Amino acid sequence: MKKILKPVLILSMVSFFVWLTYSRITSGQAQSFQAASNRPSPVKAMIARTTTLDNKLEAIGSILANEEVELKSEITGRVQKIYFNEGRSVRQGELLVKINDAELQAQLARSESKKKLAESQEARQRMLSEKSVISQNEYDIALNELTVVKADIEVIKAQIAKTEIRAPFDGMIGLKYISEGSYIAPTNRIASLQNRNSVKIDFTIPEKYSAAVKIGDLIEFTVEGQQQIFKGKVYAIEPKIDPVTRSLPLRAMATADIKILPGAFANISLYMSEQPKALMIPTQALIPELKGQRVFIYQAGRAMSQKVKTGIRTSDLVQITDGLKAGDTVIVSGTMQLRHNMPIQIESFVQSTRDVLP
Protein backbone atom coordinates (compact mmCIF):
# COMPACT_ATOMS: atom_id res chain seq x y z
CA MET A 1 0.00 0.00 0.00
CA LYS A 2 2.85 2.39 0.88
CA LYS A 3 4.53 1.54 -2.44
CA ILE A 4 1.41 2.72 -4.27
CA LEU A 5 0.90 6.00 -2.31
CA LYS A 6 4.47 7.21 -2.67
CA PRO A 7 4.41 7.68 -6.52
CA VAL A 8 0.98 9.30 -6.26
CA LEU A 9 2.26 11.78 -3.70
CA ILE A 10 5.26 12.68 -5.85
CA LEU A 11 3.05 13.18 -8.92
CA SER A 12 0.70 15.46 -6.97
CA MET A 13 3.58 17.64 -5.75
CA VAL A 14 4.97 18.00 -9.27
CA SER A 15 1.55 19.00 -10.60
CA PHE A 16 1.21 21.61 -7.85
CA PHE A 17 4.55 23.23 -8.68
CA VAL A 18 3.69 23.27 -12.42
CA TRP A 19 0.36 24.96 -11.72
CA LEU A 20 1.98 27.50 -9.40
CA THR A 21 4.61 28.40 -12.02
CA TYR A 22 1.97 28.74 -14.77
CA SER A 23 -0.21 30.93 -12.58
CA ARG A 24 2.69 33.31 -11.90
CA ILE A 25 3.53 33.50 -15.62
CA THR A 26 -0.04 34.10 -16.79
CA SER A 27 -0.58 36.62 -14.00
CA GLY A 28 2.48 38.53 -15.12
CA GLN A 29 1.32 38.43 -18.74
CA ALA A 30 -2.13 39.66 -17.73
CA GLN A 31 -0.59 42.51 -15.77
CA SER A 32 1.65 43.36 -18.74
CA PHE A 33 -1.34 43.26 -21.11
CA GLN A 34 -3.37 45.40 -18.72
CA ALA A 35 -0.53 47.90 -18.49
CA ALA A 36 -0.17 47.94 -22.28
CA SER A 37 -3.88 48.43 -22.78
CA ASN A 38 -3.86 51.37 -20.38
CA ARG A 39 -0.90 52.95 -22.15
CA PRO A 40 -2.14 55.80 -24.41
CA SER A 41 -1.78 55.11 -28.16
CA PRO A 42 0.26 57.72 -30.05
CA VAL A 43 -1.70 59.44 -32.83
CA LYS A 44 -1.55 62.47 -35.11
CA ALA A 45 -4.26 65.09 -35.00
CA MET A 46 -5.45 68.19 -36.82
CA ILE A 47 -7.45 71.17 -35.62
CA ALA A 48 -10.62 71.44 -37.75
CA ARG A 49 -10.85 74.88 -39.37
CA THR A 50 -13.19 76.49 -41.87
CA THR A 51 -11.73 77.36 -45.24
CA THR A 52 -12.87 78.95 -48.48
CA LEU A 53 -13.92 76.14 -50.78
CA ASP A 54 -13.97 76.43 -54.52
CA ASN A 55 -16.61 73.82 -55.28
CA LYS A 56 -14.97 72.07 -58.19
CA LEU A 57 -16.68 68.82 -59.13
CA GLU A 58 -15.33 66.39 -61.71
CA ALA A 59 -17.74 64.65 -64.11
CA ILE A 60 -17.90 63.03 -67.52
CA GLY A 61 -20.35 63.78 -70.31
CA SER A 62 -21.10 63.91 -74.02
CA ILE A 63 -21.00 66.67 -76.61
CA LEU A 64 -24.22 67.40 -78.51
CA ALA A 65 -24.94 69.71 -81.42
CA ASN A 66 -27.06 72.76 -80.68
CA GLU A 67 -29.76 71.27 -82.95
CA GLU A 68 -29.68 67.86 -84.60
CA VAL A 69 -32.13 65.86 -86.69
CA GLU A 70 -32.20 62.69 -88.75
CA LEU A 71 -33.75 63.54 -92.12
CA LYS A 72 -36.44 61.06 -93.16
CA SER A 73 -39.37 61.06 -95.55
CA GLU A 74 -42.93 61.22 -94.29
CA ILE A 75 -44.18 59.16 -97.25
CA THR A 76 -43.03 56.30 -99.45
CA GLY A 77 -41.92 56.97 -102.99
CA ARG A 78 -39.12 57.07 -105.53
CA VAL A 79 -36.38 59.68 -105.13
CA GLN A 80 -36.58 62.03 -108.09
CA LYS A 81 -33.77 64.44 -107.24
CA ILE A 82 -31.16 65.05 -104.51
CA TYR A 83 -30.22 68.73 -104.20
CA PHE A 84 -27.66 68.74 -101.38
CA ASN A 85 -23.95 67.98 -101.27
CA GLU A 86 -22.60 65.88 -98.41
CA GLY A 87 -20.76 67.73 -95.68
CA ARG A 88 -21.95 71.16 -96.84
CA SER A 89 -23.90 73.95 -95.18
CA VAL A 90 -27.59 74.39 -95.97
CA ARG A 91 -30.08 77.13 -95.16
CA GLN A 92 -33.42 76.77 -93.40
CA GLY A 93 -36.17 75.92 -95.91
CA GLU A 94 -33.72 74.84 -98.61
CA LEU A 95 -34.98 71.94 -100.77
CA LEU A 96 -32.85 68.86 -100.11
CA VAL A 97 -34.70 65.90 -101.67
CA LYS A 98 -37.60 65.64 -104.10
CA ILE A 99 -39.77 62.50 -104.25
CA ASN A 100 -41.76 61.68 -107.39
CA ASP A 101 -45.18 63.35 -107.15
CA ALA A 102 -46.55 62.79 -110.67
CA GLU A 103 -49.65 61.00 -109.42
CA LEU A 104 -50.39 63.69 -106.86
CA GLN A 105 -49.96 66.42 -109.47
CA ALA A 106 -52.52 64.63 -111.67
CA GLN A 107 -54.94 64.45 -108.76
CA LEU A 108 -54.38 68.15 -108.11
CA ALA A 109 -55.14 69.05 -111.75
CA ARG A 110 -58.36 67.03 -111.63
CA SER A 111 -59.44 68.70 -108.40
CA GLU A 112 -58.70 72.14 -109.85
CA SER A 113 -61.03 71.35 -112.75
CA LYS A 114 -63.73 70.25 -110.32
CA LYS A 115 -63.22 73.44 -108.40
CA LYS A 116 -63.89 75.59 -111.48
CA LEU A 117 -67.05 73.67 -112.22
CA ALA A 118 -68.19 73.88 -108.60
CA GLU A 119 -67.52 77.63 -108.50
CA SER A 120 -69.65 78.19 -111.60
CA GLN A 121 -72.42 76.05 -110.17
CA GLU A 122 -72.31 77.89 -106.86
CA ALA A 123 -72.45 81.29 -108.59
CA ARG A 124 -75.56 80.33 -110.63
CA GLN A 125 -77.30 78.82 -107.63
CA ARG A 126 -76.56 81.91 -105.55
CA MET A 127 -78.09 84.18 -108.23
CA LEU A 128 -81.20 82.01 -108.49
CA SER A 129 -81.49 81.86 -104.72
CA GLU A 130 -81.37 85.65 -104.49
CA LYS A 131 -84.25 85.82 -106.98
CA SER A 132 -86.10 83.14 -104.97
CA VAL A 133 -86.19 80.86 -108.00
CA ILE A 134 -84.68 77.97 -106.00
CA SER A 135 -84.82 77.11 -102.36
CA GLN A 136 -82.05 77.91 -99.87
CA ASN A 137 -81.41 74.19 -99.47
CA GLU A 138 -80.52 73.80 -103.16
CA TYR A 139 -78.03 76.64 -102.90
CA ASP A 140 -76.50 75.13 -99.75
CA ILE A 141 -75.87 71.87 -101.67
CA ALA A 142 -73.93 73.71 -104.38
CA LEU A 143 -71.96 75.68 -101.79
CA ASN A 144 -71.09 72.48 -99.90
CA GLU A 145 -69.81 70.81 -103.09
CA LEU A 146 -67.48 73.76 -103.69
CA THR A 147 -66.23 73.62 -100.10
CA VAL A 148 -65.50 69.87 -100.39
CA VAL A 149 -63.53 70.36 -103.61
CA LYS A 150 -61.46 73.12 -102.02
CA ALA A 151 -60.71 70.87 -99.04
CA ASP A 152 -59.64 68.05 -101.39
CA ILE A 153 -57.22 70.43 -103.09
CA GLU A 154 -55.67 71.40 -99.73
CA VAL A 155 -55.22 67.72 -98.85
CA ILE A 156 -53.45 67.03 -102.14
CA LYS A 157 -51.21 70.08 -101.72
CA ALA A 158 -50.26 68.86 -98.24
CA GLN A 159 -49.35 65.46 -99.70
CA ILE A 160 -47.27 67.13 -102.40
CA ALA A 161 -45.46 69.17 -99.74
CA LYS A 162 -44.42 65.89 -98.08
CA THR A 163 -42.61 64.90 -101.27
CA GLU A 164 -40.26 67.84 -100.73
CA ILE A 165 -37.79 67.35 -97.86
CA ARG A 166 -36.46 70.74 -96.74
CA ALA A 167 -33.92 71.83 -94.13
CA PRO A 168 -35.71 72.60 -90.83
CA PHE A 169 -32.87 74.94 -89.74
CA ASP A 170 -29.48 76.25 -90.82
CA GLY A 171 -26.76 73.69 -90.36
CA MET A 172 -24.23 71.24 -91.72
CA ILE A 173 -25.58 68.21 -93.54
CA GLY A 174 -23.80 64.89 -93.17
CA LEU A 175 -23.41 61.82 -95.35
CA LYS A 176 -26.30 60.76 -97.55
CA TYR A 177 -27.69 57.23 -97.36
CA ILE A 178 -29.94 57.27 -100.44
CA SER A 179 -29.46 57.69 -104.18
CA GLU A 180 -31.56 59.19 -106.94
CA GLY A 181 -34.01 56.60 -108.23
CA SER A 182 -34.09 54.63 -104.98
CA TYR A 183 -37.44 53.79 -103.38
CA ILE A 184 -37.62 55.04 -99.80
CA ALA A 185 -40.01 54.75 -96.88
CA PRO A 186 -40.37 56.70 -93.60
CA THR A 187 -37.99 54.21 -91.96
CA ASN A 188 -35.13 54.99 -94.35
CA ARG A 189 -32.43 57.37 -93.15
CA ILE A 190 -31.61 60.09 -95.66
CA ALA A 191 -28.90 62.10 -93.84
CA SER A 192 -28.25 63.94 -90.60
CA LEU A 193 -28.41 67.71 -90.16
CA GLN A 194 -26.64 69.49 -87.31
CA ASN A 195 -26.51 73.09 -86.21
CA ARG A 196 -23.08 73.69 -84.69
CA ASN A 197 -23.30 77.42 -83.96
CA SER A 198 -22.89 76.27 -80.36
CA VAL A 199 -22.58 72.91 -78.62
CA LYS A 200 -24.36 71.35 -75.67
CA ILE A 201 -22.65 69.29 -72.99
CA ASP A 202 -24.76 66.68 -71.20
CA PHE A 203 -23.49 65.29 -67.88
CA THR A 204 -24.68 64.21 -64.46
CA ILE A 205 -23.64 64.90 -60.87
CA PRO A 206 -24.36 62.88 -57.69
CA GLU A 207 -27.65 63.51 -55.95
CA LYS A 208 -26.07 65.03 -52.84
CA TYR A 209 -24.77 68.00 -54.88
CA SER A 210 -28.17 68.85 -56.36
CA ALA A 211 -28.76 71.76 -53.97
CA ALA A 212 -25.34 73.30 -54.67
CA VAL A 213 -25.59 73.63 -58.46
CA LYS A 214 -27.52 76.39 -60.21
CA ILE A 215 -28.06 77.79 -63.70
CA GLY A 216 -25.11 79.92 -64.73
CA ASP A 217 -22.43 77.82 -63.01
CA LEU A 218 -19.25 77.64 -65.06
CA ILE A 219 -17.72 74.49 -66.50
CA GLU A 220 -14.41 73.65 -68.13
CA PHE A 221 -14.05 70.59 -70.30
CA THR A 222 -11.63 68.78 -72.55
CA VAL A 223 -12.24 66.29 -75.36
CA GLU A 224 -10.20 63.29 -76.44
CA GLY A 225 -7.19 64.14 -78.55
CA GLN A 226 -7.25 67.85 -77.62
CA GLN A 227 -5.15 69.62 -75.00
CA GLN A 228 -7.19 72.80 -75.21
CA ILE A 229 -9.54 73.59 -72.31
CA PHE A 230 -12.99 74.79 -73.40
CA LYS A 231 -15.43 76.76 -71.26
CA GLY A 232 -19.20 76.82 -70.95
CA LYS A 233 -22.13 77.56 -68.64
CA VAL A 234 -24.90 75.42 -67.18
CA TYR A 235 -28.17 76.58 -68.74
CA ALA A 236 -30.61 73.75 -67.91
CA ILE A 237 -31.11 71.42 -64.94
CA GLU A 238 -33.37 68.38 -64.98
CA PRO A 239 -36.05 68.92 -62.29
CA LYS A 240 -35.89 65.26 -61.24
CA ILE A 241 -33.26 62.93 -59.79
CA ASP A 242 -32.68 59.81 -61.87
CA PRO A 243 -34.10 57.04 -59.61
CA VAL A 244 -31.78 54.40 -61.11
CA THR A 245 -28.41 56.16 -60.93
CA ARG A 246 -29.33 58.63 -58.15
CA SER A 247 -27.79 61.43 -60.17
CA LEU A 248 -28.96 64.80 -61.47
CA PRO A 249 -28.75 65.45 -65.26
CA LEU A 250 -27.37 68.85 -66.29
CA ARG A 251 -26.86 70.54 -69.65
CA ALA A 252 -24.32 73.26 -70.41
CA MET A 253 -23.76 75.42 -73.48
CA ALA A 254 -20.42 76.35 -75.02
CA THR A 255 -19.35 78.40 -78.03
CA ALA A 256 -18.82 76.25 -81.10
CA ASP A 257 -15.27 75.32 -82.06
CA ILE A 258 -14.13 73.36 -85.09
CA LYS A 259 -12.24 71.06 -82.71
CA ILE A 260 -15.41 70.07 -80.84
CA LEU A 261 -17.39 67.38 -82.64
CA PRO A 262 -20.87 66.30 -81.50
CA GLY A 263 -20.85 62.85 -79.95
CA ALA A 264 -17.39 63.31 -78.41
CA PHE A 265 -16.58 62.22 -74.85
CA ALA A 266 -15.92 65.13 -72.46
CA ASN A 267 -14.04 65.38 -69.16
CA ILE A 268 -15.82 68.13 -67.22
CA SER A 269 -14.95 70.32 -64.24
CA LEU A 270 -18.03 71.99 -62.75
CA TYR A 271 -17.45 75.09 -60.62
CA MET A 272 -20.41 75.44 -58.30
CA SER A 273 -21.21 78.37 -56.01
CA GLU A 274 -18.38 79.21 -53.64
CA GLN A 275 -18.92 78.27 -49.99
CA PRO A 276 -16.95 80.68 -47.77
CA LYS A 277 -17.29 78.56 -44.61
CA ALA A 278 -16.57 74.95 -45.49
CA LEU A 279 -15.21 72.71 -42.72
CA MET A 280 -12.67 70.39 -44.35
CA ILE A 281 -10.76 67.43 -42.89
CA PRO A 282 -8.40 64.87 -44.47
CA THR A 283 -10.11 61.88 -46.05
CA GLN A 284 -7.87 59.59 -43.91
CA ALA A 285 -9.75 60.73 -40.82
CA LEU A 286 -13.12 59.55 -42.16
CA ILE A 287 -14.24 56.04 -41.21
CA PRO A 288 -17.04 54.54 -43.37
CA GLU A 289 -19.83 52.62 -41.65
CA LEU A 290 -22.92 50.75 -42.78
CA LYS A 291 -25.21 53.65 -41.92
CA GLY A 292 -22.92 56.59 -42.53
CA GLN A 293 -19.48 57.87 -41.53
CA ARG A 294 -17.72 58.80 -38.31
CA VAL A 295 -14.49 60.33 -37.07
CA PHE A 296 -12.54 60.27 -33.81
CA ILE A 297 -11.98 63.50 -31.93
CA TYR A 298 -9.65 64.12 -28.99
CA GLN A 299 -11.30 64.91 -25.66
CA ALA A 300 -9.54 64.85 -22.28
CA GLY A 301 -6.90 62.36 -23.38
CA ARG A 302 -9.34 59.94 -25.03
CA ALA A 303 -10.59 59.14 -28.52
CA MET A 304 -14.30 59.87 -28.79
CA SER A 305 -16.29 58.52 -31.75
CA GLN A 306 -18.44 61.11 -33.54
CA LYS A 307 -20.93 60.56 -36.37
CA VAL A 308 -20.65 63.09 -39.21
CA LYS A 309 -22.28 64.02 -42.51
CA THR A 310 -20.17 64.82 -45.55
CA GLY A 311 -20.46 67.13 -48.54
CA ILE A 312 -17.99 68.12 -51.24
CA ARG A 313 -14.96 65.89 -51.76
CA THR A 314 -11.61 66.70 -53.30
CA SER A 315 -8.65 64.40 -53.95
CA ASP A 316 -7.50 64.54 -50.30
CA LEU A 317 -10.14 66.48 -48.35
CA VAL A 318 -13.80 66.02 -47.47
CA GLN A 319 -16.30 68.61 -46.31
CA ILE A 320 -18.08 67.98 -42.99
CA THR A 321 -21.58 69.46 -43.01
CA ASP A 322 -22.73 68.11 -39.64
CA GLY A 323 -21.15 66.52 -36.57
CA LEU A 324 -18.05 68.72 -36.18
CA LYS A 325 -17.35 72.36 -35.45
CA ALA A 326 -14.36 74.58 -36.01
CA GLY A 327 -11.76 74.04 -33.29
CA ASP A 328 -12.42 70.32 -32.74
CA THR A 329 -9.27 68.16 -32.58
CA VAL A 330 -9.70 65.47 -35.23
CA ILE A 331 -7.53 62.35 -35.12
CA VAL A 332 -6.05 61.69 -38.56
CA SER A 333 -3.80 58.63 -38.08
CA GLY A 334 -4.31 55.13 -36.72
CA THR A 335 -8.08 55.55 -36.73
CA MET A 336 -8.80 51.93 -37.65
CA GLN A 337 -7.15 50.72 -34.40
CA LEU A 338 -9.01 53.16 -32.16
CA ARG A 339 -12.05 52.42 -30.07
CA HIS A 340 -14.52 54.77 -28.41
CA ASN A 341 -13.21 56.22 -25.12
CA MET A 342 -9.77 54.68 -25.70
CA PRO A 343 -6.84 56.58 -24.13
CA ILE A 344 -4.62 58.29 -26.69
CA GLN A 345 -1.64 60.59 -26.80
CA ILE A 346 -1.17 63.18 -29.55
CA GLU A 347 2.40 62.90 -30.76
CA SER A 348 2.09 65.74 -33.28
CA PHE A 349 -0.34 68.16 -34.91
CA VAL A 350 -0.41 68.19 -38.74
CA GLN A 351 -1.11 71.18 -40.95
CA SER A 352 -1.83 69.42 -44.26
CA THR A 353 -2.71 65.99 -45.60
CA ARG A 354 0.90 65.43 -46.68
CA ASP A 355 1.87 65.39 -43.00
CA VAL A 356 -0.60 62.56 -42.30
CA LEU A 357 1.16 59.97 -44.39
CA PRO A 358 4.25 58.32 -42.84
Side-chain angles (χ1 to χ4, degrees):
M1 186 69 178
K2 292 180 178 180
K3 293 181 180 181
I4 296 174
L5 293 175
K6 187 176 182 179
V8 173
L9 181 62
I10 294 172
L11 182 60
S12 299
M13 293 177 66
V14 171
S15 299
F16 173 75
F17 283 114
V18 170
W19 173 81
L20 183 62
T21 303
Y22 175 77
S23 297
R24 290 176 178 176
I25 293 173
T26 54
S27 177
Q29 291 178 341
Q31 292 176 358
S32 299
F33 178 78
Q34 182 68 27
S37 62
N38 291 329
R39 189 181 305 124
S41 299
V43 296
K44 294 181 180 180
M46 173 182 281
I47 303 299
R49 297 185 178 91
T50 57
T51 182
T52 299
L53 177 64
D54 188 14
N55 285 350
K56 179 181 177 181
L57 184 64
E58 302 295 331
I60 57 175
S62 299
I63 306 296
L64 303 175
N66 181 39
E67 299 291 347
E68 181 178 1
V69 68
E70 291 288 335
L71 297 174
K72 294 184 178 181
S73 172
E74 294 186 65
I75 61 173
T76 58
R78 192 171 303 280
V79 177
Q80 182 175 319
K81 183 69 176 178
I82 297 176
Y83 293 94
F84 68 87
N85 294 318
E86 298 171 284
R88 301 295 180 86
S89 297
V90 296
R91 305 293 295 177
Q92 183 179 11
E94 183 177 336
L95 180 61
L96 304 177
V97 178
K98 176 64 177 178
I99 298 175
N100 183 22
D101 63 351
E103 183 177 348
L104 293 174
Q105 291 291 350
Q107 293 178 12
L108 180 61
R110 182 176 62 182
S111 295
E112 291 288 357
S113 298
K114 288 183 178 180
K115 177 185 174 184
K116 291 180 181 180
L117 179 60
E119 286 176 339
S120 299
Q121 182 68 17
E122 185 271 338
R124 286 193 299 269
Q125 296 294 83
R126 182 175 66 253
M127 183 179 61
L128 294 175
S129 176
E130 291 173 353
K131 295 179 179 181
S132 301
V133 177
I134 61 173
S135 65
Q136 180 65 35
N137 183 57
E138 290 177 304
Y139 169 71
D140 289 342
I141 292 174
L143 179 61
N144 181 66
E145 290 180 354
L146 176 59
T147 303
V148 170
V149 172
K150 288 181 178 180
D152 289 340
I153 290 174
E154 293 302 319
V155 170
I156 296 172
K157 286 182 177 179
Q159 291 176 334
I160 291 175
K162 292 181 180 180
T163 65
E164 298 177 349
I165 300 172
R166 298 180 180 272
F169 49 78
D170 296 347
M172 183 77 67
I173 200 161
L175 306 179
K176 66 182 178 68
Y177 296 92
I178 61 170
S179 300
E180 292 182 359
S182 59
Y183 192 84
I184 62 172
T187 56
N188 294 120
R189 179 185 180 187
I190 296 174
S192 64
L193 178 64
Q194 300 184 16
N195 181 312
R196 292 172 55 190
N197 293 337
S198 57
V199 293
K200 300 173 182 176
I201 305 96
D202 276 6
F203 62 102
T204 61
I205 61 173
E207 175 184 3
K208 62 183 178 180
Y209 302 128
S210 59
V213 68
K214 69 179 188 305
I215 293 176
D217 285 344
L218 299 178
I219 70 164
E220 291 181 347
F221 65 97
T222 58
V223 295
E224 290 293 328
Q226 300 290 338
Q227 299 298 323
Q228 182 177 349
I229 297 177
F230 305 97
K231 297 183 178 181
K233 286 186 179 181
V234 175
Y235 80 94
I237 302 175
E238 184 71 41
K240 175 185 177 183
I241 299 294
D242 189 323
V244 177
T245 61
R246 293 297 172 189
S247 59
L248 178 66
L250 306 177
R251 180 169 288 175
M253 183 77 75
T255 303
D257 191 292
I258 192 171
K259 299 176 183 178
I260 308 176
L261 294 178
F265 177 85
N267 291 298
I268 302 162
S269 296
L270 171 64
Y271 294 89
M272 295 180 289
S273 304
E274 189 179 83
Q275 294 185 356
K277 293 183 179 181
L279 188 64
M280 306 295 291
I281 65 171
T283 54
Q284 295 94 327
L286 197 65
I287 304 172
E289 292 184 324
L290 184 61
K291 295 183 178 180
Q293 293 101 4
R294 62 185 173 92
V295 299
F296 281 104
I297 59 176
Y298 176 82
Q299 288 183 355
R302 294 187 175 273
M304 309 302 291
S305 178
Q306 179 68 42
K307 287 187 175 294
V308 295
K309 293 182 180 180
T310 60
I312 304 297
R313 286 178 181 264
T314 66
S315 58
D316 54 1
L317 296 174
V318 59
Q319 179 191 13
I320 303 300
T321 59
D322 188 43
L324 288 181
K325 62 182 183 297
D328 285 343
T329 303
V330 181
I331 301 169
V332 296
S333 70
T335 54
M336 299 305 295
Q337 287 74 40
L338 298 180
R339 299 293 181 270
H340 181 68
N341 205 33
M342 181 177 176
I344 57 173
Q345 180 181 359
I346 298 177
E347 63 177 7
S348 63
F349 283 90
V350 300
Q351 301 298 323
S352 67
T353 55
R354 288 177 294 182
D355 301 328
V356 178
L357 300 176

